[in-house]
Amino acid sequence: MDLWTPEREQWNRGYGFLCGVDEAGAGPLAGPVYAAAVILPREIEIPGLNDSKKLTEKKREILFDEITARAEAWSVAFATAEEIDEMDILNARMLAMQRAIDGLSVKPDLALIDGNRDHGSRFAIETPHATLIGGDGKSASIAAASILAKVSRDRHVSRELDALYPQYGFAKHKGYGTKAHYAALDRHGPCPAHRKTFLKKWEARR
């Protein structure tokens, strides 16, 4: 499958620098939601580039290094668990994605956003943009962003949060609502890294 089709369409419309944008970690019970923005050299060949969800952890790690080494510009940002609780996950996703775009060393002419949402009730993508449903499997730039966001988030949760709060097993479940995670919550209660608004069903069961 040719992952450069969406980019070519925008180049043909006169846009220059395009950045792909995607986020990772909208669903877990703990940790920040991460986002990445990537500007790749035009039509660059990166073997194995694909939607991060379709890749093994090892392959994502390899591609992370290649993308960050070869990109024209890249940026990773996040919204914290506290911000998610304060505003809601949709607004936090938009905030994280805009932060990632703002962190690029090259200003993009257009951002290609994965999915069909470009705003919440409080935060919106302010950069000129186009949304693309399933973009992480259709666009090289968005696929690259999906890998950077996913790897960055997994590293944070499995290394930093796991070291701070080893009793929850973050390195194994990455913060998702697994049986082991809920069992740890039953034993220890939530920690500062947990998204309190994501624990309402768990709290109702207690």
Side-chain angles (χ1 to χ4, degrees):
M1 182 176 176
D2 187 349
L3 289 178
W4 286 103
T5 301
E7 282 84 352
R8 281 193 210 102
E9 288 173 0
Q10 301 299 343
W11 289 326
N12 289 339
R13 289 179 179 140
Y15 290 104
F17 285 113
L18 304 178
C19 74
V21 186
D22 200 5
E23 46 82 14
L29 306 178
V33 60
Y34 269 73
V38 183
I39 300 175
L40 293 174
R42 289 196 182 200
E43 314 252 2
I44 189 175
E45 276 287 322
I46 300 179
L49 184 63
N50 203 338
D51 172 3
S52 64
K53 295 185 290 293
K54 296 175 183 172
L55 302 168
T56 64
E57 185 174 355
K58 184 179 179 183
K59 183 64 175 172
R60 286 196 297 266
E61 289 279 352
I62 292 167
L63 284 166
F64 181 98
D65 292 341
E66 184 162 4
I67 292 161
T68 54
R70 299 177 71 189
E72 299 261 4
W74 64 275
S75 168
V76 173
F78 58 85
T80 65
E82 291 84 1
E83 287 175 317
I84 293 167
D85 285 339
E86 193 258 321
M87 62 185 72
D88 73 37
I89 188 61
L90 176 60
N91 278 291
R93 285 170 52 208
M94 298 303 128
L95 179 60
M97 287 197 282
Q98 187 62 53
R99 282 174 174 168
I101 297 168
D102 291 343
L104 290 167
S105 59
V106 176
K107 187 175 180 183
D109 298 302
L110 187 76
L112 297 174
I113 310 288
D114 183 55
N116 63 351
R117 305 298 290 269
D118 64 356
H119 69 279
S121 56
R122 285 174 54 186
F123 289 97
I125 304 299
E126 297 159 5
T127 303
H129 62 275
T131 56
L132 186 61
I133 296 171
D136 43 11
K138 296 174 182 174
S139 153
S141 305
I142 297 176
S146 79
I147 290 165
L148 297 200
K150 172 73 172 157
V151 171
S152 298
R153 184 193 174 274
D154 284 356
R155 286 177 180 176
H156 172 74
V157 174
S158 61
R159 296 175 188 178
E160 293 172 49
L161 291 190
D162 192 67
L164 281 170
Y165 310 108
Q167 65 270 38
Y168 297 98
F170 285 128
K172 290 183 179 172
H173 54 64
K174 306 291 193 291
Y176 284 89
T178 63
K179 278 186 181 178
H181 192 176
Y182 279 116
L185 277 166
D186 290 339
R187 280 195 302 275
H188 306 289
C191 73
H194 279 100
R195 305 170 182 179
K196 309 303 184 285
T197 50
F198 279 50
L199 299 178
K200 288 176 180 173
K201 287 183 181 176
W202 169 77
E203 294 201 326
R205 285 203 312 269
R206 294 186 87 185

